[in-house]
């Protein structure tokens, strides 16, 4: 590095700047001195007037409390003599007012006509009433000068209020003196500012010009322009700084090109990943997160950046950042809400330097909700099928063992045992058939043999069949419109759906109950409802009655021969027809099953 000469050194330039700052400080001190001098002069003037007022107040009080004879002068004459002796150039007027607001005397000859009259001055009245000392400065309109008015209460030895002493003094001389001093200070300040400005411009140019060039270069670099260079004006430290800045520009250009290339690669990888990825710094705070991770965690980028990863992932109670660094196995995060269940399989990878220093952590989030749900449903399905098959098989084995032990020879027991065995066999056949139907629906192998039918006729035919064959004392109530609604359906499968719903309604209806049937148009679809007056379903179980093998009352349902698959099959079939099915129930009041179907209104054409 080249050695800088003394006169080119930036230190000399800084010394000049300090000298100018000292000069400026002197001007500030001068202003402060002027302000303090003004306050001192004003205080001295006020103190001088106050001291004289105390002397006047003593003389006036003595005159006011003196016992007078006929030969003595009147109080007005005595006070006039007293006030005349105390009159001076800076006091314009002195008045004495008694406690009844009557002017007893004044030092101003032209105001002698006011003696004996009542005073209307507000300050005098307030001083007498409040027995307080009052001071006020204002501009006299007649003199166009500032005056200082002071009222001093006059009290006897016993505390009796005798009146007040009113003094008006001219303070304009104080301000005239300060104006003269301020003019001198202003002139000196102006000369100092001119000298400071000239020297500042000369010195600042040698420093500010290269710095301004570097500033413009820095702004260009911030916009990605690395082509321009900083001009070198001198060989001092600033000149060397300019050369170093140009060298830095070249290195930054190379680094920026390399970083931009890597950034594009990383952005492309992160953008096209289906899994969520987030990265932290060495303190465990998130510095990078891709869009899939934001969607999986249901957060915004602004709320997670620079926050601890353990807090964002909800692990701060179970793990620390150091625990995650040593973590080798994946963690399942349960971030489920009231509306949606979400399980994330999270794996952690440490970012380390070659020296082993930990720079941060990378977390990969994979949505494992569906897989976990499938595993749970598979386990529940296997358990339910095993349970449903074990019950009839256990019963059959018990009865067959009894028959093998000789019960077949008993004419009373044998037919009953064989009948039970046949009933359980038929129940298993129904269960297997229902499972096969569901399997076909799940694998989309169930082809629908659609045909166009008038739904009112089709629905009434099914209701008539149940009304003729029902064994309970249950009445039917229909609200099927006379308008013709044509639906394209698989009549066999939809008949199975309606049969299943009506069978459940009859099964759970009490004696003397009523089953209601309704068909109406709603929002471009055909809404069908079948309601009973049975025991109903608890609110927390309503949404689950369409699950496979789900029963609200398992013991009663199994006793009535149900497999727990009827409504599940109905749901799959309604969905295959493009409709929806749901239930509404009030516990102890009854249950209503609703389903919708797309339809076409009769436009007057002919249908075969």
């Amino acid at each position: 590095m080249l050695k800088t000469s003394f006169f080119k050194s930036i230190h000399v330039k800084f010394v000049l700047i300090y000298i100018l700052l000292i000069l400026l400080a002197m001007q500030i001190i001068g202003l402060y001195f002027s302000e303090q001098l003004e306050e001192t002069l004003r205080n001295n003037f006020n103190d001088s007037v106050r001291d004289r007022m105390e002397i006047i107040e003593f003389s006036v009080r003595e005159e006011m409390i003196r016992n007078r004879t006929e030969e003595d002068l009147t109080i007005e004459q005595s006070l006039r003599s007293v006030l005349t002796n105390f009159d001076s150039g800076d006091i314009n007027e002195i008045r004495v007012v008694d406690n009844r607001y009557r002017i007893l005397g004044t030092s101003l000859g032209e105001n002698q006509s006011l003696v004996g009259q009542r005073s209307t001055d507000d300050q005098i009245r307030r001083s007498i009433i409040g027995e307080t000392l009052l001071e006020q400065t204002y501009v006299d309109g007649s003199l166009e000068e500032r005056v200082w008015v002071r009222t001093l209460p006059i009290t006897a030895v016993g505390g009796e209020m005798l009146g007040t002493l009113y003094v008006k003094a001219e303070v304009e001389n104080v301000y005239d003196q300060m104006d003269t001093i301020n003019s001198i200070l202003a002139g000196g300040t102006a000369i100092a500012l001119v000298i400071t400005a000239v020297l500042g411009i000369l010195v600042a140019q040698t420093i500010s010009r290269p710095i301004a060039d570097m500033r413009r270069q820095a702004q260009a670099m911030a916009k990605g322009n690395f082509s321009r260079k900083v001009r070198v004006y001198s060989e001092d430290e600033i000149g060397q700084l300019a050369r170093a800045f140009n060298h830095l520009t070249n290195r930054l250009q190379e680094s920026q090109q390399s970083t931009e290339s890597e950034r594009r690669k990383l952005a492309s990888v992160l953008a096209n990943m289906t899994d969520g990825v987030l990265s932290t710094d060495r303190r465990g705070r998130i510095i990078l997160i891709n869009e899939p991770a934001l969607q999986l965690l249901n957060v915004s980028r602004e709320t997670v950046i620079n926050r601890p990863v353990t807090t964002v992932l909800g692990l701060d109670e179970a793990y620390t950042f150091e625990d995650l660094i040593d973590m080798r196995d994946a963690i399942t995060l349960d971030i489920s809400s009231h509306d949606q269940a979400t399980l994330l399989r999270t794996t952690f990878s440490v970012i380390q330097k070659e020296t082993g220093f930990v720079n941060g952590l990378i977390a990969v989030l994979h949505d494992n909700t569906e897989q976990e749900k499938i595993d749970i449903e598979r386990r529940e399905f296997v358990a339910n099928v095993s349970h449903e098959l074990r019950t009839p098989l256990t019963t059959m084995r018990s009865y067959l063992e009894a028959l093998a032990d000789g019960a077949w020879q008993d004419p009373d027991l044998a037919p009953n045992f064989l009948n039970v065995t046949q009933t359980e066999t038929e129940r298993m056949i129904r269960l297997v058939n229902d499972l096969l139907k569901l399997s076909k629906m799940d694998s989309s192998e169930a082809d629908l043999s659609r045909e166009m039918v008038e739904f009112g006729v089709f629905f009434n035919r099914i209701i008539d069949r149940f009304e003729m064959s029902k064994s309970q004392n249950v009445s039917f109530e229909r609200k099927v419109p006379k308008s013709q609604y044509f639906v394209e359906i698989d009549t066999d499968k939809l008949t199975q759906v309606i049969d299943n719903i009506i069978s459940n309604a009859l099964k759970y209806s009490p004696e003397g109950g009523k089953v209601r049937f309704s068909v109406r148009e709603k929002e471009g679809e055909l809404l069908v409802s079948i309601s009973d007056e049975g025991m109903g379903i608890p609110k927390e179980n309503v949404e689950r009655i369409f699950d496979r093998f789900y029963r609200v009352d398992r013991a009663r349902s199994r006793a009535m021969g149900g497999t727990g698959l009827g409504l599940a099959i109905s749901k799959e079939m309604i969905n295959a027809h493009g409709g929806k099915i749901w239930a509404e129930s009030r516990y102890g009041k009854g249950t209503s099953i609703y389903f919708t179907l797309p339809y076409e209104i009769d436009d007057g054409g002919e249908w075969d």
Side-chain angles (χ1 to χ4, degrees), residues 406-552:
W408 63 275
Q409 296 177 352
D410 190 331
D412 295 328
L413 292 178
N416 185 32
F417 283 7
L418 290 174
N419 183 41
V420 171
T421 303
Q422 183 180 4
T423 301
E424 295 298 328
T425 302
E426 291 175 352
R427 180 181 172 188
M428 283 193 296
I429 292 173
R430 288 197 304 271
L431 176 61
V432 172
N433 288 335
D434 289 344
L435 290 174
L436 290 175
K437 291 177 183 177
L438 282 175
S439 177
K440 289 182 178 181
M441 300 295 290
D442 289 340
S443 60
S444 301
E445 294 180 0
D447 296 330
L448 300 179
S449 300
R450 295 176 182 267
E451 58 178 304
M452 192 69 71
V453 298
E454 202 283 302
F455 187 79
V457 176
F458 169 76
F459 193 38
N460 279 319
R461 188 182 302 123
I462 298 175
I463 298 172
D464 292 340
R465 173 162 50 84
F466 274 93
E467 193 169 21
M468 293 177 62
S469 61
K470 63 183 174 65
S471 58
Q472 304 104 305
N473 181 20
V474 177
S475 60
F476 286 4
E477 180 180 308
R478 311 185 196 192
K479 291 184 179 180
V480 181
K482 296 181 180 180
S483 303
Q484 292 184 330
Y485 295 95
F486 290 91
V487 292
E488 190 176 8
I489 58 173
D490 186 324
T491 56
D492 292 337
K493 289 184 171 54
L494 198 59
T495 298
Q496 182 181 354
V497 171
I498 298 175
D499 284 354
N500 186 24
I501 298 174
I502 297 177
S503 297
N504 287 338
L506 291 173
K507 188 185 303 181
Y508 295 105
S509 292
E511 285 294 323
K514 184 181 295 185
V515 178
R516 297 178 176 85
F517 304 90
S518 171
V519 178
R520 60 189 177 92
E521 186 273 336
K522 182 180 180 181
E523 297 180 358
E525 292 183 315
L526 204 61
L527 177 62
V528 183
S529 67
I530 301 173
S531 306
D532 62 57
E533 296 178 347
M535 58 184 171
I537 304 171
K539 183 178 180 180
E540 62 273 11
N541 298 331
V542 172
E543 295 182 358
R544 299 193 58 192
I545 64 173
F546 295 98
D547 294 347
R548 300 173 185 185
F549 294 107
Y550 182 79
R551 298 186 181 95
V552 178

Side-chain angles (χ1 to χ4, degrees), residues 76-285:
E76 288 83 0
Q77 294 173 340
S78 299
L79 289 178
R80 180 176 182 180
S81 175
V82 171
L83 297 180
T84 302
N85 293 332
F86 284 100
D87 194 9
S88 62
D90 53 357
I91 296 180
N92 293 346
E93 183 183 5
I94 304 174
R95 290 184 187 178
V96 178
V97 182
D98 63 10
N99 54 10
R100 291 177 295 176
Y101 311 113
R102 187 168 63 89
I103 300 175
L104 299 179
T106 176
S107 63
L108 196 62
E110 58 191 32
N111 286 341
Q112 292 301 320
S113 61
L114 298 176
V115 175
Q117 298 182 13
R118 289 178 62 86
S119 175
T120 60
D121 189 279
D122 183 64
Q123 184 171 338
I124 293 176
R125 288 178 173 272
R126 286 189 287 114
S127 176
I128 294 174
I129 294 173
E131 299 183 9
T132 57
L133 185 149
L134 299 176
E135 295 179 353
Q136 182 182 5
T137 301
Y138 64 92
V139 178
D140 191 333
S142 60
L143 302 175
E144 295 184 356
E145 294 179 346
R146 280 167 285 197
V147 295
W148 183 55
V149 176
R150 189 170 188 263
T151 54
L152 179 64
I154 304 172
T155 57
V157 177
E160 179 186 359
M161 182 66 184
L162 302 177
T164 187
L165 185 64
Y166 172 87
V167 175
K168 181 165 68 172
E170 183 180 349
V171 296
E172 192 64 33
N173 293 334
V174 175
Y175 291 100
D176 291 341
Q177 295 176 16
M178 288 310 307
D179 289 342
T180 303
I181 296 173
N182 289 336
S183 299
I184 297 173
L185 289 176
T189 302
I191 296 173
L193 288 177
V194 171
I195 296 174
T196 303
V198 173
L199 293 177
I201 291 173
L202 295 175
V203 176
Q205 281 183 348
T206 62
I207 300 176
S208 61
R209 186 181 301 169
I211 293 177
D213 285 349
M214 284 185 280
R215 178 180 58 83
R216 287 190 291 269
Q217 172 62 9
Q219 292 174 345
M221 290 168 57
K223 297 177 181 179
N225 181 12
F226 296 91
S227 59
R228 68 189 305 274
K229 303 296 180 184
V230 177
R231 181 179 175 184
V232 180
Y233 291 94
S234 61
E235 296 299 328
D236 58 6
E237 290 89 341
I238 293 182
Q240 295 179 17
L241 178 61
R243 286 191 174 88
F245 199 87
N246 290 333
H247 179 67
L248 175 63
T249 301
N250 295 333
R251 297 299 301 271
L252 283 176
Q253 184 176 10
E254 297 173 1
S255 299
Q256 194 268 346
Q257 291 174 351
S258 176
T259 303
E260 185 64 21
S261 176
E262 295 298 326
R263 189 192 65 80
R264 288 196 184 99
K265 294 178 183 178
L266 179 60
S268 178
V269 171
L270 293 177
N272 290 282
M273 289 184 66
T274 57
D275 291 341
V277 178
L278 56 89
S279 176
T280 72
D281 58 13
R282 60 186 179 87
R283 296 178 299 173
R285 297 185 179 275

Side-chain angles (χ1 to χ4, degrees), residues 284-399:
R285 297 185 179 275
I286 296 176
I287 57 176
L288 176 67
I289 186 169
N290 67 347
E291 194 63 31
L294 295 175
Q295 295 176 358
L296 290 174
L297 297 174
N298 193 24
V299 294
S300 62
R301 192 179 305 275
E302 293 76 13
T303 58
V304 299
I305 293 298
N306 291 326
R307 291 189 61 197
V309 65
T310 53
T311 302
V312 174
L313 298 181
L315 300 173
D316 45 0
E317 295 184 359
Y319 300 95
T320 64
F321 179 65
E322 289 73 18
D323 295 333
L324 298 183
I325 292 176
D326 299 329
M327 187 71 63
R328 296 293 178 266
D329 299 328
I331 298 177
T332 299
L333 302 179
D334 187 356
I335 58 173
S336 303
S337 62
H338 296 289
D339 302 328
Q340 184 179 5
T342 305
L343 298 174
L344 303 179
R345 185 175 181 270
T346 308
T347 56
F348 299 94
S349 178
V350 180
I351 306 174
Q352 287 181 312
K353 291 184 177 180
E354 295 179 355
T355 59
F357 183 78
V358 175
N359 271 348
L361 195 68
I362 293 179
V364 180
L365 310 176
H366 176 72
D367 191 352
N368 209 38
T369 307
E370 291 299 324
Q371 183 62 41
E372 193 70 21
K373 184 178 179 181
I374 291 173
D375 292 342
I376 294 174
E377 290 181 350
R378 176 179 55 80
R379 290 192 293 268
E380 290 182 352
F381 181 76
V382 172
N384 287 327
V385 171
S386 301
H387 181 74
E388 293 296 333
L389 290 175
R390 184 173 63 247
T391 301
L393 287 175
T394 301
T395 304
M396 291 174 61
R397 184 178 65 180
S398 299
Y399 280 90

